[in-house]
Amino acid sequence: MPTPPAYLTIAADLRAAILSGELPAGTKLPSESGLMRQYDVSRTVAKWAIAVLKGEGIVEGRAGSGVYVRDTTRLVRHARGRDVRSGDGPTSPFARDAAGAGQHGTWEHHSRHEQADERIAARLGIEPGAPVMRTSYRFLADGEPIQLSVSHEPLALTKDTPIEWPEDSDVKGVVTRMDAIGVRVDEVVERVSLRSATAEEVEALNLPARTFVHTIERTYTAGGTPVETAHIVLPGGRYDLVYRLPID
Amino acid sequence: MPTPPAYLTIAADLRAAILSGELPAGTKLPSESGLMRQYDVSRTVAKWAIAVLKGEGIVEGRAGSGVYVRDTTRLVRHARGRDVRSGDGPTSPFARDAAGAGQHGTWEHHSRHEQADERIAARLGIEPGAPVMRTSYRFLADGEPIQLSVSHEPLALTKDTPIEWPEDSDVKGVVTRMDAIGVRVDEVVERVSLRSATAEEVEALNLPARTFVHTIERTYTAGGTPVETAHIVLPGGRYDLVYRLPID
DNA sequence: TAGTGGTCTAGACCACAAT
DNA sequence: TTGTGGTCTAGACCACTAC
């Protein structure tokens, strides 16, 4: 049996203490000098041990202060097939998910007209260059940024209707809004991937560097025609995705 | 504007070369000594730069040989609501997904009787200690391990039926098998999370250390009664998950 | 045998936090 | 002012790979 390297042993000890609840969220980890004394290793080894935990996203360094256990409470994003429209008023799907976790959901948005680039055109089944409404969102739970999204809708569908500007409408959610102009959305396809966060995402979501995110490419269709497509970014480890699918 | 640290600059350069296709999968990265000369930095800095890319899962070190760009072709796992049963014979859902990516899907399995622990009992809506069939799977695409799964079914439902031992049946897939004993599965719920791989998963899936995985908790129900629950582990970055949901 | 990455030591300077 | 983490240098030994 080869002895595991010291930095992995230290990382495993700290990880166990965190997962067992012995070091709850917000707690400061032993300092690097503390670990050096405790395990009789050099500072480099202590640093590599902490780098492992940072890479796992369970601790966060604050320069000049210390390394702290991150909050791991998770929001749940529900993708419902049924009852998406069983609306209780103007509440958005995101606000509903946040409420489900006992948090207050708000969001910032910015809409503008745009010409579809190749990727968006392919997803919407339209010609590149065709006019689309682009809306970018930043969602916040209790004031903390928690989700990014960029949505595109073909203006051929919504131009000069009451829902042309998504957030000026008094109904929220793609399905409900489309219904208001007589478009019956009957299917949504989501493609979930995992990758490390980009610098912009780290900035916008207030993440520690080099953490992982879920990305979702979502497209709503009505009778086979795409009516909206969105690129959604969710911090990994802070979000669970729940899918409820009817069979047959 | 603060200058970014050297190791991040180097990591960004290498990442750009990889993503642009300049360094395709399987290519060897410049050696640490090469990076030291090229950027005029110490070995530690070269090492941290490569550690960033390892943490992102896009390169892989082979001791004594070099650091190599990992293959990023992605398998797609389809979670279908409709037409799950539009069976083309005894093909399993996994084999279908693998075929969709032009790969050959095979799997290893091991079934045994067991008593439900608290977690499994809660997911199946039965009493802790009740008998269940536990089946663990390791799925392979073109011989490479690509997915782990542990499934539990209540024996109260399947005992002494032709499908009691999941893999001895000549039909595959939970929906099809349950149908064979008159149980009409009508809903599946999947909860998708993201976390770093455990040591066992690194071993079983032949992953580089400290990479991320999707985990899925999946439960099939028939008329509101759970009939199967599974814990599925998929390497992040090698798998995309696609969900197709009908609306209303 | 020469080169490689994996691990580790023993220092250094800096900006920032806590006090 | 002291301690902290962030970054970096300049070495070392080892096991392993490739030749």
Side-chain angles (χ1 to χ4, degrees):
Chain A
M1 280 290 284
T3 311
Y7 75 94
L8 287 182
T9 307
I10 300 173
D13 285 356
L14 293 172
R15 188 188 303 109
I18 292 167
L19 296 183
S20 77
E22 187 187 330
L23 295 175
T27 311
K28 190 163 126 174
L29 256 55
S31 72
E32 292 180 356
S33 22
L35 293 174
M36 289 167 72
R37 279 190 300 273
Q38 188 179 341
Y39 289 93
D40 191 29
V41 294
S42 71
R43 188 170 168 208
T44 304
V45 171
K47 205 171 274 299
W48 275 85
I50 289 171
V52 169
L53 302 180
K54 282 185 195 164
E56 294 173 6
I58 62 180
V59 304
E60 163 185 25
R62 298 177 206 159
S65 171
V67 177
Y68 296 81
V69 179
R70 293 186 58 203
D71 184 8
T72 57
T73 58
R74 291 174 180 229
L75 263 188
V76 176
R77 173 176 182 274
H78 290 275
R80 302 169 193 76
R82 309 179 194 281
D83 91 35
V84 158
R85 297 199 306 201
S86 71
D88 18 54
T91 318
S92 79
F94 171 74
R96 227 165 16 229
D97 286 339
Q103 301 192 295
H104 181 57
T106 56
W107 61 94
E108 310 157 353
H109 67 273
H110 178 68
S111 292
R112 66 163 187 261
H113 286 180
E114 208 178 63
Q115 296 190 321
D117 64 21
E118 277 188 22
R119 187 171 304 185
I120 296 300
R123 277 158 59 182
L124 288 176
I126 59 178
E127 293 300 313
V132 292
M133 176 68 71
R134 175 202 145 104
T135 307
S136 59
Y137 292 91
R138 189 165 77 144
F139 295 95
L140 311 140
D142 286 349
E144 284 290 311
I146 190 73
Q147 177 179 334
L148 300 176
S149 171
V150 179
S151 156
H152 287 85
E153 292 176 355
L155 275 168
L157 195 66
T158 57
K159 182 103 175 103
D160 298 328
T161 74
I163 64 157
E164 175 178 350
W165 297 86
E167 291 296 320
D168 289 355
S169 162
D170 59 352
V171 290
K172 305 297 179 193
V174 173
V175 177
T176 317
R177 285 178 47 248
M178 289 294 164
D179 198 53
I181 59 167
V183 173
R184 297 174 47 119
V185 175
D186 54 18
E187 190 177 71
V188 58
V189 176
E190 301 204 347
R191 184 188 187 102
V192 180
S193 303
L194 181 167
R195 60 167 171 74
S196 59
T198 66
E200 293 75 29
E201 289 158 359
V202 163
E203 169 79 14
L205 290 172
N206 200 15
L207 296 173
R210 304 196 289 286
T211 55
F212 277 70
V213 292
H214 296 284
T215 67
I216 302 175
E217 299 236 330
R218 179 191 69 191
T219 303
Y220 282 102
T221 56
T225 304
V227 300
E228 193 252 15
T229 189
H231 184 87
I232 302 166
V233 176
L234 308 157
R238 290 235 292 272
Y239 241 113
D240 281 358
L241 313 176
V242 173
Y243 291 90
R244 179 178 300 268
L245 297 106
I247 306 277
D248 261 349
Chain B
M1 281 290 284
T3 312
Y7 74 93
L8 287 183
T9 305
I10 300 174
D13 285 356
L14 293 173
R15 188 189 302 108
I18 292 167
L19 296 183
S20 77
E22 188 186 330
L23 295 175
T27 310
K28 192 163 126 174
L29 257 56
S31 72
E32 292 180 354
S33 22
L35 292 174
M36 291 168 71
R37 279 191 299 273
Q38 187 179 341
Y39 289 92
D40 192 29
V41 294
S42 72
R43 188 169 168 207
T44 304
V45 172
K47 204 172 275 299
W48 275 86
I50 289 171
V52 169
L53 302 181
K54 282 185 195 164
E56 293 172 7
I58 61 178
V59 304
E60 164 186 23
R62 298 177 205 157
S65 171
V67 177
Y68 295 82
V69 179
R70 292 186 60 203
D71 185 8
T72 55
T73 58
R74 291 172 179 233
L75 262 189
V76 176
R77 174 178 181 274
H78 290 274
R80 303 169 191 76
R82 311 180 194 278
D83 89 35
V84 159
R85 296 199 306 202
S86 71
D88 18 55
T91 317
S92 81
F94 171 73
R96 227 166 14 229
D97 286 339
Q103 301 192 293
H104 181 57
T106 55
W107 61 92
E108 309 158 354
H109 62 90
H110 178 69
S111 291
R112 66 165 188 259
H113 286 180
E114 207 179 62
Q115 296 191 323
D117 65 22
E118 277 187 23
R119 185 170 305 183
I120 295 300
R123 278 159 58 184
L124 288 176
I126 58 179
E127 293 300 314
V132 292
M133 176 68 71
R134 175 202 144 103
T135 307
S136 59
Y137 292 91
R138 188 163 79 143
F139 295 93
L140 311 136
D142 286 348
E144 283 291 310
I146 190 72
Q147 176 178 336
L148 301 176
S149 171
V150 180
S151 157
H152 287 84
E153 293 176 355
L155 275 168
L157 195 66
T158 57
K159 181 105 175 101
D160 298 328
T161 73
I163 64 156
E164 175 178 350
W165 297 86
E167 291 296 322
D168 288 356
S169 162
D170 59 352
V171 289
K172 305 298 179 194
V174 173
V175 178
T176 316
R177 285 177 48 246
M178 289 295 165
D179 198 54
I181 60 167
V183 174
R184 296 174 48 120
V185 175
D186 53 19
E187 190 176 69
V188 59
V189 176
E190 302 204 346
R191 185 188 187 102
V192 180
S193 303
L194 182 165
R195 59 167 171 73
S196 61
T198 66
E200 294 74 29
E201 290 158 358
V202 164
E203 169 80 14
L205 290 172
N206 199 15
L207 297 173
R210 304 196 288 287
T211 55
F212 277 69
V213 293
H214 295 285
T215 67
I216 303 175
E217 301 237 328
R218 179 192 69 191
T219 303
Y220 282 103
T221 56
T225 305
V227 299
E228 192 251 15
T229 189
H231 185 88
I232 301 167
V233 176
L234 308 158
R238 289 236 293 271
Y239 242 113
D240 281 359
L241 312 177
V242 173
Y243 291 91
R244 180 179 297 270
L245 297 107
I247 308 279
D248 261 351

